[in-house]
Amino acid sequence: MKVAAYQAPLRAASSVEVLGLIREQVDRCESEGVEILCCPEGVLGGLADYASRPADIAIDVEAGQLDALLAPLASDRVATILGFTEIGRGGRLYNSAAVFHKGSVVGIYRKLYPAINKSVYEAGDKMPVFTVGGLTFGIVICLDSNYYEPARIMASRGAAALFVPTNNGLPPTKAGPELVAEARNVDIARAVENSVSVIRADTAGRTESLVSYGSSEIVDADGMVLRSARRLGPDLIVADIKTAPREHRRGWNASRNSAVMDEYVRLVT
């Protein structure tokens, strides 16, 4: 299957123009035969931790707000993964990613590990897998990819790929090109450990207060980097990945799946 990662301009991620930019990528993906396009974390409205009024950028999925917002991105050929701030029951905010397929939101993943110690986001507690076309895949958002358990659990449930919406827009004192190398090491590790392809989509560029060098890349199930995006600017990278998971996963004893999953869910809930 052909997949793509969109490295969106950091500045556009908090503006209304981002939907137009994403639509351009969907059109390009349609012309190139891409079936799944991954966009960055918080690409719809930015990250709530940096918003003066976080609730203003939050989207109510159950009320149909996300379906309505994403309607211009509808495609019969390309499914899109997009990061956004979700408002749930009781006004709780989640750093989430949606799978938008054939004009409808068909799945939601909530970030397990909010990256800031005093984040306004609640932690998610589910590790679902999704299927589009012939590919079953998992989603982990940014920092979640640093932990081996979510990827391993998703792989045990049949995922052959892992999509990683990311937003490394940070204050200049915390941002640097070394984050790109760190992300690559993580992607290769998750790929090799679980025999899954890893597709990361980051932001890139500068604003008055933030910088992101851009760590978007596509890594195959053997840990080989197939494509990587340019630094500090927007890009779209495309590669073919395998859709069938390997029957035997390195370092994973299938007989322990259930016990490990139960223990992990207990720890994060």
Side-chain angles (χ1 to χ4, degrees), residues 7 203-206 211-214 229-234:
Q7 184 160 282
T203 57
R206 301 178 187 271
V211 178
S212 178
Y213 281 79
R230 65 193 186 99
R231 301 291 168 254
L232 287 170

Side-chain angles (χ1 to χ4, degrees), residues 19-105:
L19 280 176
L21 294 174
I22 295 172
R23 180 68 239 187
E24 291 176 9
Q25 312 314 311
V26 172
D27 291 342
R28 181 175 167 186
C29 287
E30 287 181 338
S31 67
E32 295 189 24
V34 171
E35 294 188 51
I36 302 178
L37 166 66
C38 186
C39 297
E41 173 188 18
V43 73
L44 302 175
L47 296 176
D49 285 319
Y50 296 124
S52 57
R53 299 176 63 181
D56 288 353
I57 65 170
I59 299 169
D60 189 334
V61 176
E62 291 186 2
Q65 292 178 355
L66 189 58
D67 278 301
L69 178 65
L70 298 182
L73 304 181
S75 169
D76 289 333
R77 288 177 281 171
V78 180
T80 308
I81 299 168
L82 309 104
F84 70 104
T85 295
E86 178 189 1
I87 187 164
R89 295 178 182 178
R92 294 184 177 90
L93 299 181
Y94 297 94
N95 187 335
S96 299
V99 181
F100 188 64
H101 184 43
K102 294 186 176 180
S104 298
V105 175

